[in-house]
């Protein structure tokens, strides 16, 4: 599998060149979560700290014949939210540079991420971005936000775009092209996404969004196909070659993300952004390769100074 996905494979290899980032795994209290954590340590992607009840983690390791010698355990009471707060404290103390979800529910972890007392929030809205590696596409493609924000308004979309642009910079895309998706490329007041897209482009012109080139609204066809854009007479330097696609809402993004995985045979890496440190949200349906790629993406991002900006 890795040989068919050169961008994510290269990302994993790059991240493993030196294990200088500490990854805190929150409540890895079931075999799959523990195995994923130990895979990260075995690959040398990061220094792994397991945050959760010591006795339960060691019991799972014993039952799974797993080797804990390469990881550290920070003991907590057997409560996932307590473990999340303990992991946040490691970040505050400078002892962890990124987080990964273990076996707690996503809403439990997100509840801690957005809480003021955890100290993980920044002046940006929290969002999520995927990076896709697709067999028939000659470049990686980012998609945001498919996980966190349900119906983002204009100002939330501004932060979602800026978070994704910062991530693109971290992986070496100097001036990412951002295609803002909607149902049509024409501005229609009845379709809020088209109006938001136009406003976002103007915000980029005025310096309210920096570091990227925006265009929209764009239908999915003319966003990804230069030929489609030509047929529809869309003059754009983004259409046909986007680095980032901004979706109008979570339903659209989630459907598109799963379509790329299950029909387009893509592999992906994903991160929560807009927090003091990058956060990997694992899913039981993620492939082992996808989990490793997500950690690698977080490692590369965590090495950049802006990754921990207030």
């Amino acid at each position: 599998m890795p040989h068919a996905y050169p961008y994510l494979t290269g990302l994993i290899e790059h991240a493993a060149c030196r294990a200088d980032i500490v990854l805190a795994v929150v409540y890895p209290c079931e075999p799959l979560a523990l195995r994923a954590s130990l895979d990260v340590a075995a690959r040398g992607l990061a220094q792994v700290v397991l945050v959760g009840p010591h006795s339960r983690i060691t019991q799972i390791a014993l039952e799974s014949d797993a080797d804990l010698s390469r990881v550290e355990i920070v003991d907590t009471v057997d409560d996932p939210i307590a473990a999340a707060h303990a992991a946040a404290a490691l970040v505050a103390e400078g002892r962890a540079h990124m987080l990964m979800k273990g076996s707690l529910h996503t809403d439990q972890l997100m509840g801690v991420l957005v809480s003021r007392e955890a100290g993980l929030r920044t002046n940006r809205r929290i969002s999520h971005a995927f990076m896709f590696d697709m067999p028939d596409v000659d470049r990686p493609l980012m998609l945001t936000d498919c996980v966190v924000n349900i119906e983002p308004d204009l100002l939330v979309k501004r932060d979602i775009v800026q978070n994704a642009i910062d991530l693109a910079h971290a992986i070496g895309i100097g001036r990412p092209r951002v295609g803002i998706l909607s149902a049509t490329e024409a501005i229609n007041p009845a379709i809020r996404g088209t109006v938001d897209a136009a406003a976002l482009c103007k915000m980029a012109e005025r310096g309210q969004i920096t570091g990227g080139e925006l265009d929209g609204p764009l239908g999915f066809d003319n966003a990804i196909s230069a030929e489609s854009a030509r047929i529809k007479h869309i003059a754009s330097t983004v259409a046909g070659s986007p680095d980032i696609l901004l979706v109008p809402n979570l339903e659209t993004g989630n459907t598109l993300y799963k379509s790329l995985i299950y029909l387009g045979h893509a592999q992906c890496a994903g991160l929560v952004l807009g927090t003091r440190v990058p956060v990997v949200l694992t899913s039981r349906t993620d492939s082992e390769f996808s989990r490793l790629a997500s950690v690698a993406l977080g490692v590369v991002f965590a090495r950049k100074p802006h990754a921990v900006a207030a």
Side-chain angles (χ1 to χ4, degrees):
M1 178 186 292
H3 297 293
Y5 301 99
Y7 303 106
L8 292 183
T9 299
L11 190 71
I12 293 170
E13 293 172 350
H14 178 66
C17 66
R18 64 183 195 275
D20 56 339
I21 297 299
V22 178
L23 168 66
V25 183
V26 184
Y27 203 73
C29 292
E30 55 88 24
L32 181 61
L34 182 59
R35 184 167 63 251
S37 306
L38 299 179
D39 285 345
V40 170
R43 296 288 190 110
L45 292 176
Q47 301 170 40
V48 176
V49 178
L50 308 179
V51 185
H54 187 282
S55 59
R56 187 168 175 184
I57 292 171
T58 53
Q59 181 62 35
I60 294 169
L62 181 63
E63 294 171 355
S64 306
D65 194 27
D67 181 9
L68 296 176
S69 63
R70 299 185 184 198
V71 301
E72 176 187 351
I73 300 177
V74 171
D75 189 25
T76 72
V77 297
D78 194 352
D79 176 73
I81 295 177
H85 280 290
L90 293 180
V91 172
E93 295 163 7
R95 295 171 56 194
H97 309 112
M98 60 182 293
L99 302 177
M100 183 166 80
K101 172 179 169 283
S103 56
L104 74 172
H105 294 297
T106 297
D107 59 352
Q108 292 175 316
L109 179 57
M110 291 303 299
V112 173
L113 293 183
V114 302
S115 66
R116 292 291 181 186
E117 58 270 23
L120 293 174
R121 294 180 63 172
T122 68
N123 59 357
R124 297 255 190 95
R125 182 67 172 249
I126 294 173
S127 64
H128 185 279
F130 280 116
M131 174 182 169
F132 291 90
D133 197 341
M134 293 169 282
D136 298 324
V137 180
D138 63 358
R139 64 185 183 279
L141 178 67
M142 291 169 55
L143 188 64
T144 190
D145 177 358
C146 311
V147 175
V148 174
N149 293 285
I150 298 173
E151 286 286 348
D153 62 21
L154 176 62
L155 294 182
V156 172
K157 288 178 180 178
R158 176 196 63 187
D159 284 357
I160 292 171
V161 169
Q162 193 65 67
N163 288 340
I165 288 172
D166 288 350
L167 178 59
H169 290 167
I171 62 173
I173 303 173
R175 188 168 178 79
R177 297 178 293 271
V178 182
I180 306 169
L181 296 181
S182 190
T184 175
E185 63 277 4
I187 297 172
N188 182 343
I191 305 176
R192 194 189 82 185
T194 66
V195 179
D196 285 352
L200 289 167
C201 293
K202 181 57 68 174
M203 292 169 83
E205 290 180 17
R206 299 287 169 85
Q208 291 174 272
I209 300 170
T210 61
E213 183 176 356
L214 278 63
D215 196 11
L218 294 171
F220 184 73
D221 53 349
N222 44 67
I224 63 168
S225 167
E227 177 64 10
S228 175
R230 185 191 65 78
I231 291 170
K232 292 188 175 183
H233 306 290
I234 298 171
S236 170
T237 57
V238 173
S241 57
D243 301 298
I244 301 166
L245 293 177
L246 172 71
V247 297
N249 53 41
L250 186 142
E251 283 183 309
T252 302
N254 191 269
T255 300
L256 182 53
Y257 143 63
K258 289 174 180 174
S259 298
L260 294 176
I261 296 294
Y262 289 98
L263 296 179
H265 309 293
Q267 287 285 334
C268 68
L271 284 181
V272 172
L273 306 167
T275 46
R276 285 189 59 207
V277 297
V279 181
V280 176
L281 290 183
T282 55
S283 168
R284 285 173 295 177
T285 61
D286 289 342
S287 68
E288 177 186 354
F289 182 67
S290 178
R291 290 191 190 95
L292 291 173
S294 294
V295 172
L297 185 62
V299 166
V300 171
F301 189 56
R303 286 174 180 159
K304 299 296 180 179
H306 65 251
V308 293

